């Protein structure tokens, strides 16, 4: 099995791509590319069994409806709630609220934070991937899934404050990752992960992609499937890191 991970940014120069080759009891990080172009990501997604992309795949339904009504000159609908409750409902997707419940950490709002610029990039990238491999399900039911490395690191007990801004902290996180996952072979990409938070997150995204591919992530609740196909759904690991190479994973391949 081959999995790919993408730490997507609004600009190509801050986008990173990683690929991991999986075989019996081991995983080898084959490449980490900094400044990965959309064309390179599309090629990787076409080759990979599953690709995890660190970016929101869509916008909250309530936010989309609010913008539609506002553009049409209609009044703001405050019949359900108002104030901060109303603004929070528009700002976050159902998957964001699910992540907060499970991990205590809320993803950035795609509607109100700078993540929106990256999500615009992601929407075009998903179209380009779909041109190669067929329709991309935003709910993650196909060969591409939305991932959130920060939340996965919490689940796997690898979270380190400030790892995105401090290379020394990233070095500690990489060392801990190799302790917990001795079957993971980083090779020269270890240096990239310490040097760049983008590279680090891309490798974690590829690990999450493996978890999702072998059924090791929380499923979309049945009542939210249609909404997840519009808004996107974050594939959050549901088991320990070692299960990625365990017997259950081998059976799921």
């Amino acid at each position: 099995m081959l999995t790919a991970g993408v730490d997507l940014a609004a600009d190509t120069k801050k986008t990173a791509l990683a690929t991991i080759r999986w075989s019996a009891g081991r995983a080898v990080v084959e490449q980490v590319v900094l400044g990965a172009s959309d064309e390179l990501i599309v090629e990787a997604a076409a080759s990979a069994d599953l690709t995890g992309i660190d970016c929101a795949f869509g916008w909250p339904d309530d936010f989309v409806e609010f913008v539609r009504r506002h553009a049409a000159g209609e009044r703001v609908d405050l019949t359900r709630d108002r104030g901060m409750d109303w603004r929070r409902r528009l700002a976050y997707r159902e998957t964001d609220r699910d992540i907060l419940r499970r991990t205590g950490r809320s993803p950035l709002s795609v509607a109100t934070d700078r993540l929106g610029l990256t999500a615009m990039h992601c929407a075009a990238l998903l179209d380009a991937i779909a041109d190669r491999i067929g329709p991309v399900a935003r709910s993650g039911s196909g060969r591409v899934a939305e991932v959130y490395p920060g939340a996965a690191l919490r689940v796997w007990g690898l979270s380190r404050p400030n790892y995105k801004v401090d290379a020394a902290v990233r070095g500690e996180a990489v060392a801990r990752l190799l302790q917990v996952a001795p079957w993971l072979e980083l090779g020269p990409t270890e240096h990239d992960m310490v040097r760049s938070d983008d590279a680090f997150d891309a490798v974690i995204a590829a690990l999450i992609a493996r978890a999702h591919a072998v059924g090791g992530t929380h499923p979309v609740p049945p009542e939210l499937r249609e909404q997840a196909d519009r808004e996107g759904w974050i594939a959050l690991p549901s088991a320990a890191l070692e299960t990625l190479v365990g017997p259950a994973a081998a059976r799921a391949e």
Side-chain angles (χ1 to χ4, degrees), residues 25-155:
R26 66 195 287 260
V28 179
V29 180
E30 291 192 333
Q31 66 170 342
V32 169
V33 179
L34 298 171
S37 67
D38 286 7
E39 292 77 14
L40 186 61
I41 294 169
V42 170
E43 289 300 321
S47 300
D49 295 277
L50 205 139
T51 299
I53 301 177
D54 179 14
C55 184
F57 279 14
W59 281 263
D61 278 358
D62 289 330
F63 174 75
V64 172
E65 176 62 13
F66 163 71
V67 172
R68 185 202 65 77
R69 290 174 62 91
H70 186 69
E74 300 176 17
R75 288 179 59 86
V76 174
D77 182 5
L78 298 176
T79 58
R80 286 177 57 183
D81 45 26
R82 58 186 62 234
M84 282 304 297
D85 289 340
W86 168 69
R87 289 188 280 275
R88 287 193 183 97
R89 177 167 58 81
L90 268 61
Y92 294 99
R93 305 171 297 159
E94 284 303 320
T95 188
D96 300 329
R97 286 184 270 271
D98 182 73
I99 292 292
L100 178 59
R101 284 192 295 267
R102 293 184 186 278
T103 70
R105 176 176 179 148
S106 179
L108 292 174
S109 165
V110 65
T112 60
D113 286 310
R114 285 190 300 171
L115 178 62
L117 288 172
T118 307
M120 294 172 194
H121 182 183
C122 188
L125 176 62
L126 293 179
D127 284 346
I129 292 173
D131 288 341
R132 284 294 303 276
I133 69 172
V136 173
R138 297 180 199 167
S139 60
S141 60
R143 289 173 56 192
V144 182
E146 179 181 342
V147 301
Y148 180 18
L153 290 170
R154 283 197 170 201
V155 171

